[in-house]
Each structure stands twice: as structure tokens, then as C-alpha cells.
Amino acid sequence: MSGLFDDISRKLEAQAHEPGISAWELTDLSPSLRAIVRALLREVEMSYPELSRLARTLPAAESRLSQAELDDALQQLLSQSWIVRMGQEDTVTYRVNLRRRRGTRLSPSLWHKLEQRLSTSPADDQPPTP
Amino acid sequence: MCKIVSIHSFRGGTGKSNLTASLAALLAMQGKRVGVVDTDIQCPGIHVLFGLDETKMGHTLNHYLRGECAIEDVALAIGNNAAGDDAGDAPGRRQLRQRLLWLIPSSIEVGEISAILRHGYDVNRLNEGLQNVRKTLDLDYLFIDTHPGLNDETLLSIAFSDILLVLLRLDQQDFQGTAVTVDIARSLDVPNLLLVVNKALSHYDFDQIEQRVADTYGVPVAGVLPLSEAMVDLQSADIFALRYPDHAWSRGVQSVAGRLLAIE
């Protein structure tokens, strides 16, 4: 299960530096916030009227949001930079801001050696004959 | 409306890619418009089942993630390509000719894989690509073949899926890992969560396995598939469920496909 612990460790490290929400953090959201983020993930971009309609018609009745509750929810997500608002007034849309997947932190020299190895032609790669 | 189906297993070697390819092929044979995305960027493999190698792949998911092409440029129409004339030795795949099945492969070039691992990538771009491709191709089903275990791509695909199929073997390590996956899927409110047991020994009582696994996890079991020597012997050279439709494994997968079709 080392892969799981590596991922958790990376998640904690990433939280400290990168803006945006990670897929791991989705599990910690309230059902209403998660439903909003999930809808934004699938639609990529949604307008305020579309989000209002979604908030009123969520499958679980206890997760449905009034207009004021939706405004609070959006503000909460915006303040964490987990979603972003685009456009102005009548054309405002919202998108999820997923945290960038960081590259590995392996030593650059390792990658350099790998690239050198890959650029070596098969003929050059033969062991020397005695 | 397109249904997004993620196929996941906590550990490798469960038969995830074979199941994904067979399910996708069976639904395409039913006239559905089907996409398959290989998000296993570190260890891509499902392209082999569709008869592709690096000479037949053009752009890949890696190129898209690096901003070098549009996602539509990556989607390869299997019915017009890998199921074409060179599928003569793959009678299963040949049946896909003219069927509406697309594959979005990950690159198998070491340099492309290492570039993504080394520099990371914009996860928003991955999500937008997956969502756009289902709209652009007007898909009925989008299958996502994930990397085993729990990583960002896997969790993201679970988060926006309509259906999550978790594949496991009858093995203590699989049992524990599957429990973790099921817990996470529940906390992400996946609308339809199903388990599939693969590689069950033929002398086991499959009905009993189904009942016990369902009771243990509190999740419906969509199928119990037997360990198949014929599958090993095929060496990923074809789509098993199309090549051997009367095999017990294929009948099990046909039943799983029926469960998917029944989900509203």
C-alpha cells in the first residue's frame, strides 16, 4: 500500500504550495458543495442560473440549496480558489480550478541519464566485445 | 446523455483493461457510440487489445496534456483503423469494423511518459478533454481505464463518473484495497457503484461468491468472472468477449454489459 501513502504524502505537500482543489479534497466537501463541484467538473463551465437550477433540484433533498445558501457555497469555493468566476454580470460563468499535478521530485540528473540512455542507439548500446 | 463509466482496481493485474475493452466492444456492437480513454499514463496498455502499436498511434493523451493538439485529434476511430484490413488475425476485433468506437490512447513512448511524470500537467486540461470528447463525439458511453490504486487521475474520474466498476480478485490484498476504494467512492457520491470479481477458480460456487462479496461491501456485484487459461493464451491479441462469445468469461461480461445498459 506504499503507493497510497506516497499519494497522501504528496497531497499534503501539494496543499501547501499549489492553488486549486485536488481530487482528494473533494471527499472532504459537504454533499452540497461536492454536488456543485461535480456538476462543474462534468459541464466544465456553468452559468449562475444553471447552478441555481442545479441547487434547487439536487437528488438528495437534504442537499438542496436556497438562493442564499448557493451564494454562500459559491463564495466559500471561490475564497479557497477551488472554483473560478469568469466573465462579468450577465455572462458570469464558474469553472472548477483543479490543482496542477506536480512533476516527480526525482533528481534532475536521473532524468538526464535516462534521456541520454534513450537517445543511445541500439547499436551503441551493445556491450564491448572482448 | 453520455454515461461515464470508470473501471478501477486497487491492485494491478486484475484484468481491468481486458474487461474495459470487452465491455466497450460489446456496447459498440449494440450500436452504441462508445469512447475508451486510457488514463493510465504511467503504464498504458489497453491500446494493445485494440491492435495498436506506436506506429499506428498519432497524437496521444500525452500530446493533448502538453497542449500540442486538441483532444479530438487523439480520438482514434477503431472501426476505421485497428479493426480494418490488418485485423485479419483478430476475428474479435474485426467485428468492430464500422462500429462507433473510439480510443484515446496514452503514449507508449518512454520519452513521452517521462515528460509527463517529470513536469506534471494541468489537471483542468485533462478534465476538459474528457468532458469535451464525450460531447464532440456524441458518446453514449465513455469508459475510463484507470491506473491501479488511488491517484489524482483515478480519483478525478471516480468523482465525475456515473458508474464505477471496481474489479477485484479473491485475494486478501484485493479485499483490503477494495474496501478503501469503496469507501472513497461512497464519499464522492458516485451514483452507481458495482463490483466485479475476476479470476475466480472454476470449482468455486459463483453464486455464493457474489452473495458474500455483496454482503461484505454492501455493494451490488455485477458479475463473477472465471479465471481463464484461454485469456492468458490469447496474450491480449484480440478482444476476448468478441472472439470467444460463448466462453464463460465472455458470458459473464455480457451480463455486466447488460447491467450497464439497464442503468438509467
Side-chain angles (χ1 to χ4, degrees):
Chain A
M1 305 247 289
S2 65
L4 176 60
F5 294 115
D6 289 346
D7 276 330
I8 291 171
S9 165
R10 276 213 307 274
K11 169 196 165 189
L12 293 173
E13 278 181 31
Q15 278 175 353
H17 301 101
E18 303 275 354
I21 189 167
S22 75
W24 290 95
E25 284 160 342
L26 292 174
T27 61
D28 299 330
L29 297 177
S30 69
S32 307
L33 290 185
R34 195 160 50 241
I36 291 170
V37 173
R38 179 181 149 84
L40 286 170
L41 281 173
R42 289 187 59 120
E43 296 305 318
V44 179
E45 196 169 303
M46 290 175 80
S47 66
Y48 185 80
E50 287 170 331
L51 284 167
S52 296
R53 203 161 34 249
L54 169 84
R56 287 195 307 270
T57 58
L58 286 172
E62 63 275 15
S63 299
R64 288 178 194 153
L65 301 173
S66 66
Q67 203 78 6
E69 289 168 331
L70 172 65
D71 291 345
D72 279 349
L74 292 175
Q75 195 50 48
Q76 204 177 325
L77 293 169
L78 283 165
S79 67
Q80 302 261 26
S81 298
W82 287 346
I83 64 171
V84 290
R85 185 167 42 202
M86 306 170 78
Q88 291 181 341
E89 297 183 2
D90 291 348
T91 61
V92 164
T93 57
Y94 297 86
R95 298 170 76 107
V96 177
N97 182 27
L98 291 164
R99 184 174 299 144
R100 184 181 170 80
R101 174 81 184 259
R102 299 174 75 192
T104 173
R105 301 175 75 181
L106 288 172
S107 158
S109 66
L110 186 147
W111 292 107
H112 181 65
K113 282 189 177 140
L114 178 63
E115 278 165 10
Q116 274 187 326
R117 180 84 179 166
L118 289 172
S119 63
T120 307
S121 71
D124 298 337
D125 205 24
Q126 297 300 314
T129 49
Chain B
M1 184 170 164
C2 176
K3 290 201 171 52
I4 302 178
V5 186
S6 282
I7 315 272
H8 182 64
S9 65
F10 192 79
R11 296 175 67 224
T14 52
K16 198 158 40 64
S17 294
N18 266 303
L19 177 64
T20 306
S22 281
L23 281 172
L26 287 171
L27 294 185
M29 293 299 291
Q30 299 246 350
K32 302 295 181 188
R33 300 175 69 91
V34 182
V36 179
V37 184
D38 190 352
T39 62
D40 194 350
I41 296 167
Q42 299 164 49
C43 320
I46 198 168
H47 59 276
V48 177
L49 294 155
F50 288 109
L52 298 172
D53 58 28
E54 58 191 300
T55 63
K56 293 177 190 160
M57 282 191 212
H59 291 300
T60 63
L61 188 62
N62 305 54
H63 294 99
Y64 166 74
L65 290 175
R66 290 164 58 187
E68 295 171 6
C69 65
I71 192 73
E72 296 83 358
D73 299 333
V74 180
L76 189 71
I78 295 298
N80 299 337
N81 289 280
D85 293 339
D86 59 350
D89 57 345
R93 206 163 58 234
R94 202 167 51 226
Q95 295 170 50
L96 291 171
R97 195 172 293 175
Q98 304 306 321
R99 295 291 172 176
L100 302 169
L101 174 61
W102 290 267
L103 176 68
I104 289 107
S106 278
S107 177
I108 48 176
E109 288 182 35
V110 181
E112 290 290 341
I113 296 170
S114 73
I116 292 287
L117 295 179
R118 186 176 180 181
H119 301 296
Y121 63 88
D122 181 354
V123 184
N124 290 298
R125 188 167 171 82
L126 173 64
N127 181 55
E128 285 166 26
L130 297 180
Q131 305 306 335
N132 287 341
V133 82
R134 73 185 169 92
K135 291 175 186 167
T136 309
L137 298 176
D138 192 21
L139 298 176
D140 296 308
Y141 291 90
L142 176 63
F143 284 88
I144 302 179
D145 189 21
T146 61
H147 184 66
L150 293 168
N151 64 17
D152 289 311
E153 298 90 17
T154 301
L155 277 176
L156 177 67
S157 72
I158 291 175
F160 60 58
S161 288
D162 297 290
I163 303 166
L164 173 64
L165 281 183
V166 181
L167 197 54
L168 71 152
R169 291 162 299 192
L170 298 172
D171 178 288
Q172 293 294 338
Q173 292 183 60
D174 279 25
F175 292 157
Q176 292 183 15
T178 300
V180 173
T181 308
V182 165
D183 277 350
I184 287 180
R186 284 205 176 104
S187 65
L188 287 170
D189 304 328
V190 178
N192 298 282
L193 175 58
L194 297 168
L195 297 177
V196 176
V197 178
N198 197 16
K199 302 188 179 180
L201 295 179
S202 55
H203 66 270
Y204 289 175
D205 180 334
F206 282 23
D207 290 338
Q208 193 179 36
I209 291 169
E210 180 175 333
Q211 194 59 54
R212 284 193 63 182
V213 171
D215 289 347
T216 301
Y217 294 103
V219 174
V221 174
V224 179
L225 310 176
L227 178 67
S228 164
E229 278 195 23
M231 171 85 74
V232 178
D233 193 39
L234 186 56
Q235 299 174 34
S236 301
D238 201 359
I239 309 285
F240 191 90
L242 295 187
R243 185 174 181 126
Y244 301 115
D246 297 325
H247 190 282
W249 190 89
S250 304
R251 287 203 303 274
V253 178
Q254 289 157 16
S255 169
V256 176
R259 291 285 289 263
L260 299 184
L261 285 166
I263 292 173
E264 292 295 321

